[in-house]
Amino acid sequence: MTEYLIAIRDALPYLLQGALVTIALVLGALLLGLILGVFLAVGQVYGNKAVRAVVGLYVWFFRGVPLLVLLFLFYFGLFTLLGINISAFTAAVIILGLISAAYQSQIFRAGILSLPEGQFKAARALGMSDARAVLFVILPQALRLSIPGWSNEYSIVLKDSAVAYALGVAEVMARAHFVASRTYQHLPLYFTAGVIFLILTYLGTKSLRLLEEKVRIPGYSR
């Protein structure tokens, strides 16, 4: 037991540095997923048949192919083929963001469809264009209603970020594996990595719950 505690004590600062990398990775992926996801959701709800088909194909592909396969496919395959020279961290953010966009688009789509159809028609009746009606009337409400689902997506992306160590990203899991392979203290180090992920999950979901309460309209959001 003493050896375990010593191993955790010695490795903890190094693992916490990896936690900062993990946080940056998750926030970057969620932001990219948010931007793309909103466009995908709007296209799937309000787009023509061709746009809906393209969005559906995108969602089907990124939700159907395993994460590790996508990481290798893009980083070692597509990016190399196109001559795109980026760091493993940037590649992981992009790939996780593309995957998250597929899931977030369905969260936002559900939020849009949950709104009364009359709101869009009323905005049009007031002289708004379709784009302005979606941007200023529909999306603010849909995004507010999507926060609980977005909280779940945060937890998923956080857990998926551990796979980024396969590309050499120095996040929590990669650092725990690096130290464990040299000290042979696998149990305490992987346990510590798990605790760090649990703490990050709790802090993130708690923050999103507070955000949900802050923007909630009494009698409307629930």
Side-chain angles (χ1 to χ4, degrees):
M1 182 62 69
T2 302
E3 293 180 356
Y4 288 175
L5 295 177
I6 293 175
I8 294 173
R9 182 199 64 188
D10 294 341
L12 188 58
Y14 184 66
L15 297 181
L16 291 178
Q17 291 176 5
L20 296 178
V21 177
T22 295
I23 293 171
L25 178 61
V26 171
L27 292 181
L30 285 175
L31 179 60
L32 177 59
L34 171 64
I35 296 172
L36 293 178
V38 168
F39 281 103
L40 292 171
V42 171
Q44 198 165 24
V45 175
Y46 298 108
N48 56 36
K49 187 175 181 180
V51 172
R52 293 198 300 270
V54 171
V55 173
L57 180 62
Y58 178 97
V59 173
W60 171 78
F61 176 78
F62 281 99
R63 293 178 69 177
V65 180
L67 169 61
L68 188 59
V69 175
L70 288 172
L71 287 172
F72 287 170
L73 175 65
F74 277 80
Y75 187 61
F76 297 111
L78 185 60
F79 291 166
T80 301
L81 179 64
L82 297 177
I84 301 175
N85 185 20
I86 57 177
S87 66
F89 174 83
T90 303
V93 169
I94 293 173
I95 298 165
L96 286 173
L98 292 175
I99 298 171
S100 180
Y103 287 93
Q104 290 193 51
S105 68
Q106 300 310 292
I107 296 173
F108 300 142
R109 182 177 70 91
I112 293 173
L113 293 177
S114 68
L115 297 173
E117 186 178 352
Q119 294 201 19
F120 184 78
K121 295 179 179 179
R124 290 293 308 278
L126 292 174
M128 287 187 175
S129 64
D130 290 353
R132 290 179 63 85
V134 171
L135 182 61
F136 295 108
V137 177
I138 302 300
L139 283 183
Q141 300 177 78
L143 292 177
R144 181 188 296 115
L145 296 174
S146 299
I147 292 176
W150 209 65
S151 178
N152 293 333
E153 180 62 14
Y154 164 80
S155 300
I156 293 172
V157 174
L158 177 61
K159 289 185 290 185
D160 286 349
S161 69
V163 185
Y165 90 93
L167 300 184
V169 180
E171 42 75 59
V172 174
M173 188 61 192
R175 290 171 183 253
H177 179 72
F178 176 80
V179 178
S181 64
R182 283 154 177 77
T183 62
Y184 301 103
Q185 297 291 344
H186 296 85
L187 177 60
L189 292 173
Y190 289 137
F191 175 79
T192 304
V195 170
I196 291 175
F197 275 107
L198 286 174
I199 293 174
L200 293 178
T201 300
Y202 172 79
L203 293 177
T205 54
K206 182 66 174 180
S207 298
L208 288 170
R209 286 198 193 97
L210 293 175
L211 176 62
E212 180 185 1
E213 291 296 326
K214 185 175 181 62
V215 302
R216 181 173 68 89
I217 300 176
Y220 178 74
S221 307
R222 293 180 177 176

